[in-house]
Amino acid sequence: MYELTRYSQICVEDQAMQSVANWLKDEIDRLFAITTKSIGQQDIRFRHSPVLDNEAYKLRVDHTGIEIESNGNAGFVYGCATLMQLMDFDKDRQTLYVPHVAIHDAPRFRYRGVMLDSARSFQPISEIKTSFESLCSLQDQHLSLAPYRR
């Protein structure tokens, strides 16, 4: 297990990764009430990897620390989300424990699909509009309308 304390730091290779690093720090503060210091050990490192796709990431946790590699912010966010799921908090010691792992993850498909079946679920129009607005925020949108058949 690797230990993260209030003296742990998040280090980025490139300023483009800073927004995701700040998000991770804020989430750790919010979920576990651990405020990290600006001086300490470089425990979580973000590294750019041009061979990975934008949404793919590699997460490695060992005795030297935690390393997240990706080619884009989406991959870093997904890597951070996985990291937070692995964290175990010891409230008495104010320490987060992360098991040693090596994860390489990537989406199987370039796009994500959503099915909205209003004929069987009977959602109000306002809920359908909200769903469409959420879908429009995705990068690759594909809309397929199928007529009702008996």
Side-chain angles (χ1 to χ4, degrees):
M1 296 284 244
Y2 191 78
E3 293 184 12
L4 293 171
T5 66
R6 65 178 185 258
Y7 298 106
S8 297
Q9 282 184 314
I10 301 171
C11 301
V12 295
E13 225 178 43
D14 186 341
Q15 283 305 107
M17 306 168 197
Q18 190 63 50
S19 62
V20 180
N22 290 340
W23 174 78
L24 176 61
K25 179 188 176 304
D26 293 342
E27 285 298 298
I28 290 173
D29 291 349
R30 184 181 67 81
L31 293 171
F32 306 109
I34 292 180
T35 305
T36 56
K37 305 290 182 190
S38 59
I39 299 174
Q41 325 179 104
Q42 297 179 359
D43 289 313
I44 302 174
R45 295 176 302 279
F46 284 67
R47 296 207 188 280
H48 182 260
S49 178
V51 297
L52 294 174
D53 289 335
N54 189 39
E55 294 186 6
Y57 68 91
K58 288 183 181 178
L59 171 64
R60 184 184 52 78
V61 182
D62 60 20
H63 69 281
T64 62
I66 299 168
E67 187 172 274
I68 302 172
E69 289 183 54
S70 183
N71 191 22
N73 281 349
F76 285 115
V77 169
Y78 298 144
C80 290
T82 301
L83 174 63
M84 286 189 293
Q85 291 175 21
L86 294 170
M87 292 178 174
D88 187 27
F89 182 55
D90 182 347
K91 192 173 183 176
D92 296 332
R93 294 188 60 208
Q94 290 292 298
T95 302
L96 289 167
Y97 295 98
V98 184
H100 292 185
V101 295
I103 299 172
H104 181 188
D105 192 23
R108 185 172 175 193
F109 301 106
R110 233 188 99 215
Y111 61 89
R112 290 165 178 80
V114 174
M115 181 177 161
L116 182 64
D117 189 357
S118 297
R120 293 187 188 107
S121 302
F122 303 109
Q123 296 104 335
I125 292 176
S126 61
E127 187 176 320
I128 294 171
K129 286 181 179 179
T130 302
S131 298
F132 276 125
E133 288 170 4
S134 297
L135 290 172
C136 289
S137 67
L138 300 175
Q139 286 181 347
D140 295 324
Q141 302 103 13
H142 300 277
L143 179 62
S144 175
L145 300 173
Y148 175 74
R149 295 185 191 148
R150 279 196 164 186

